[in-house]
Amino acid sequence: MGTAVSLHLADPLPEQTLTRLADEVFAWLREVDRRFSTYKDDSEVNRVQRGELDPRDGSADLRAVLDTCADLWRATDGYFDVYATGRLDPSGYVKGWSVQVASDRLLAAGAGNHCLNAGGDVRTRGRPAPGEPWRIGIRHPWEAHAVCWVLAGTDLAVATSGTYERGPHVVDPHRGTAATELRSVTVVGPDLGLADAYATAALAMGRAGLAWLARLDGYESGVVTEDREAYRSPGLPVAD
């Protein structure tokens, strides 16, 4: 998936069970990469882009992802646009969605205490230890070894989109240019796929994204602008 992925399983399950669950998570993420990668020539996404595959004939996951991305385009006034770069690229939703699916599967399998992190898209369930919340550091967008916030909770979906690693790579689809006003956008809520897409959309909006994020129902946010101002919503679960 083009990023580092880590999994922490905190349930006192047999080692064989934990190994099997971990293997299933990484097998799923490799499957998602095969289907949705924009770098693999034979991925479903690239076959759709080239006109070799009708989305209606693709996998159920492809159809579901593209349907959700269409809904997100409408919900974000067109700022979340899988064609913003001129070619089909649903990565702004897929990474968070795939981690959410993996977490849901772990929960259904009885591993109710875990943390799955795919390049800063983080899904936690339960606790790392009895009485302890998960603690998630949000990277400082100028200082790689510092954090701007530490979030704490037992059931968190945390997605961050920013320009500090890959440069201004998110395109404002209304202007056709790279978005540069915001340095980092973090969104926290119940669904990681949506949180991922909302963070991407807000980054594309620039400063207008601050007001848009404030209107989201059930999702909290933290934003750092390119001119080093920081904003967070009142409900962002910042650790004491």
Side-chain angles (χ1 to χ4, degrees):
M1 297 182 66
T3 190
V5 179
S6 64
L7 172 63
H8 179 172
L9 296 170
D11 288 285
L13 298 171
E15 183 176 351
Q16 183 177 8
T17 301
L18 293 173
T19 299
R20 175 179 57 80
L21 291 173
D23 287 345
E24 289 173 355
V25 166
F26 288 104
W28 160 247
L29 296 178
R30 286 191 291 269
E31 179 183 343
V32 169
D33 190 49
R34 284 193 297 271
R35 292 183 183 178
F36 293 95
S37 172
T38 58
Y39 300 98
K40 298 180 186 298
D41 285 341
D42 60 347
S43 71
E44 286 188 289
V45 162
N46 280 336
R47 290 169 61 204
V48 170
Q49 170 64 28
R50 293 193 299 264
E52 299 171 1
L53 175 66
D54 187 316
R56 293 171 295 183
D57 298 326
S59 65
D61 286 334
L62 176 71
R63 297 194 302 271
V65 163
L66 294 183
D67 284 347
T68 301
C69 287
D71 292 339
L72 285 162
W73 180 84
R74 290 185 286 268
T76 61
D77 297 324
Y79 279 98
F80 183 85
D81 187 344
V82 295
Y83 286 98
T85 62
R87 56 173 294 127
L88 177 60
D89 183 2
S91 303
Y93 172 72
V94 164
K95 185 160 65 116
W97 162 78
S98 64
V99 172
Q100 179 72 41
V101 170
S103 176
D104 290 344
R105 291 179 177 180
L106 285 171
L107 185 65
N113 299 280
H114 62 261
C115 176
L116 180 57
N117 181 350
D121 281 0
V122 183
R123 191 65 171 96
T124 70
R125 281 340 217 293
R127 298 179 180 275
E132 295 292 330
W134 294 100
R135 296 172 64 88
I136 302 167
I138 305 303
R139 196 194 119 165
H140 194 290
W142 277 280
E143 301 175 29
H145 300 292
V147 297
C148 49
W149 293 291
V150 175
L151 309 182
T154 59
D155 190 1
L156 300 173
V158 182
T160 299
S161 184
T163 63
Y164 49 85
E165 285 189 344
R166 296 172 55 192
H169 65 284
V170 172
V171 174
D172 174 349
H174 294 289
R175 298 181 180 179
T177 58
T180 58
E181 292 183 346
L182 304 182
R183 184 84 171 178
S184 173
V185 178
T186 296
V187 177
V188 182
D191 183 274
L192 187 56
L194 295 183
D196 197 8
Y198 291 158
T200 301
L203 193 71
M205 293 177 192
R207 280 189 169 272
L210 292 168
W212 182 81
L213 287 167
R215 296 194 298 269
L216 285 179
D217 185 22
Y219 289 80
E220 304 294 337
S221 58
V223 177
V224 180
T225 69
E226 190 62 35
D227 50 6
R228 297 177 179 261
E229 296 176 346
Y231 303 88
R232 63 183 175 95
S233 60
L236 191 70
V238 177
D240 296 332

